[in-house]
Amino acid sequence: MIAAEKVVKERAVIKLPVNPIALAQDLGIEVLPKPADNQGVSGILLRRGNNFGIAYATHIDSIGFQHFSVAHELGHYFLPGHIDAVLSNGDVHASHAGFASGDRYEMEADHFAATLLMPRKLFTEAMLTAGDGLEAIEKLSAQCCTSLTATAIRFTRLTRDPMAIVISTGDRIDYCFMSEALKEMQSLNWIRKGDPLPKATATYAFNQNPERVLRADHDEDSSDICDWFGSDRSLSITEQLIGLGNYGKTLTVLTALDIEEQMKEIEEDEALVESWRPQFRR
Ligand SMILES: [Zn+2]
């Protein structure tokens, strides 16, 4: 079992949101808000003898960010080998949580945090009544006290539907996550970090206006899978997006719920054409 799932089970967490501050305090770890002086640091893990403490940053005024920061430090506390690695040069480790660091231990602690705050069982149960697409992600983000981005990534990993999320800045794609069901579709190109945002999309038009990103505006349109993934077949998908405010980025949710029906129709049409073909060969 994944370390974070084990913690949730052992600490008998039975409903959302998971509160990592209460969880740490239960373990005898002192948790303190840290004055907003060092903007790059999300949290600190401290050791005094056999005791541990966590300080979390408050310069971003968001419970989601603070919970994630504390959960990240708990990752260092629980994950095998972390304490030895991150406290190898002393008794203080300063973290950069939020999937921005390329360091192995920071990334592992981020994944731990996402899983701790959105444990598979509770999260998939909540998904059943959350609906689809961006509305579902917004609902679950409120329910779990997690950022829209972290929630969107977790949702994409756990859904059975064909969908993808794209994070973009201006005319560039920062990254994209595809669900398993979408990855299984053939002849799709996977979007790479730094790829240009396709010009025919609502997201491209939205990002031309940074004011809308800052205001956290919503937008929605139908889109073509070819524009995003260069498929050899034109299939209609839903494109929903929201500006991520001060973060300066946009979250786009691409859902393709009826894509199998669309493919079936195309295949039937192709079969029909094929069935007529021999008559013209005479
Ligand atoms: Zn860290």
Side-chain angles (χ1 to χ4, degrees):
M1 189 185 279
I2 299 166
E5 302 279 6
K6 213 172 133 202
V7 172
V8 166
K9 203 173 166 205
E10 281 172 5
R11 311 309 299 178
V13 180
I14 49 160
K15 65 175 179 30
L16 299 170
V18 177
N19 183 343
I21 297 174
L23 218 146
Q25 285 165 342
D26 262 5
L27 293 158
I29 300 170
E30 197 176 348
V31 184
L32 292 168
K34 180 178 86 69
D37 52 354
N38 194 341
Q39 296 231 339
V41 174
S42 61
I44 292 171
L45 182 67
L46 303 145
R47 177 172 58 189
R48 206 174 292 139
N50 288 325
N51 295 324
F52 288 88
I54 291 172
Y56 60 92
T58 50
H59 63 271
I60 297 180
D61 184 22
S62 136
I63 298 238
F65 181 73
Q66 292 167 6
H67 275 193
F68 196 88
S69 301
V70 174
H72 173 105
E73 301 311 326
L74 282 175
H76 292 318
Y77 178 84
F78 279 110
L79 288 166
H82 270 237
I83 287 180
D84 288 342
V86 302
L87 296 177
S88 61
N89 295 321
D91 282 339
V92 180
H93 163 72
S95 283
H96 302 271
F99 297 102
S101 167
D103 177 79
R104 179 198 143 186
Y105 293 101
E106 292 302 85
M107 285 196 295
E108 285 180 5
D110 280 340
H111 284 293
F112 178 96
T115 310
L116 182 73
L117 300 175
M118 295 172 277
R120 178 185 286 267
K121 186 163 176 283
L122 293 177
F123 194 80
T124 44
E125 270 167 23
M127 278 170 78
L128 295 175
T129 52
D132 304 312
L134 182 57
E135 294 93 28
I137 290 165
E138 290 187 277
K139 229 184 249 179
L140 291 163
S141 152
Q143 217 173 331
C144 300
C145 287
T146 42
S147 71
L148 277 178
T149 312
T151 314
I153 294 171
R154 191 78 174 129
F155 189 92
T156 310
R157 288 231 165 97
L158 293 176
T159 185
R160 288 191 180 149
D161 294 328
M163 65 163 292
I165 57 135
V166 177
I167 301 289
S168 61
T169 316
D171 59 2
R172 292 275 145 190
I173 291 172
D174 294 304
Y175 54 85
C176 165
F177 280 95
M178 294 159 85
S179 70
E180 281 306 316
L182 191 66
K183 282 184 195 163
E184 277 166 16
M185 282 185 59
Q186 282 165 6
S187 76
L188 296 189
N189 295 325
W190 291 22
I191 294 174
R192 278 191 228 115
K193 209 176 164 155
D195 275 354
L197 200 53
K199 287 197 172 157
T201 60
T203 306
Y204 184 89
F206 183 86
N207 283 3
Q208 299 301 299
N209 185 349
E211 276 293 308
R212 297 197 71 189
V213 178
L214 199 63
R215 280 203 310 259
D217 274 3
H218 286 76
D219 204 0
E220 182 168 345
D221 204 352
S222 65
S223 194
D224 195 309
I225 204 160
C226 296
D227 289 331
W228 291 97
F229 301 103
S231 156
D232 54 0
R233 280 179 177 156
S234 172
L235 298 165
S236 164
I237 55 176
T238 304
E239 177 184 357
Q240 296 171 300
L241 51 119
I242 181 171
L244 295 175
N246 287 329
Y247 194 35
K249 298 180 187 299
T250 300
L251 165 67
T252 304
V253 182
L254 303 169
T255 32
L257 294 181
D258 65 343
I259 208 133
E260 278 183 15
E261 286 154 46
Q262 290 185 51
M263 300 235 297
K264 220 167 156 193
E265 268 173 41
I266 291 175
E267 273 158 22
E268 278 166 13
D269 287 351
E270 283 171 358
L272 192 67
V273 170
E274 203 54 39
S275 70
W276 282 87
R277 203 187 296 276
Q279 303 189 15
F280 294 107
R281 284 206 189 119
R282 273 180 219 149

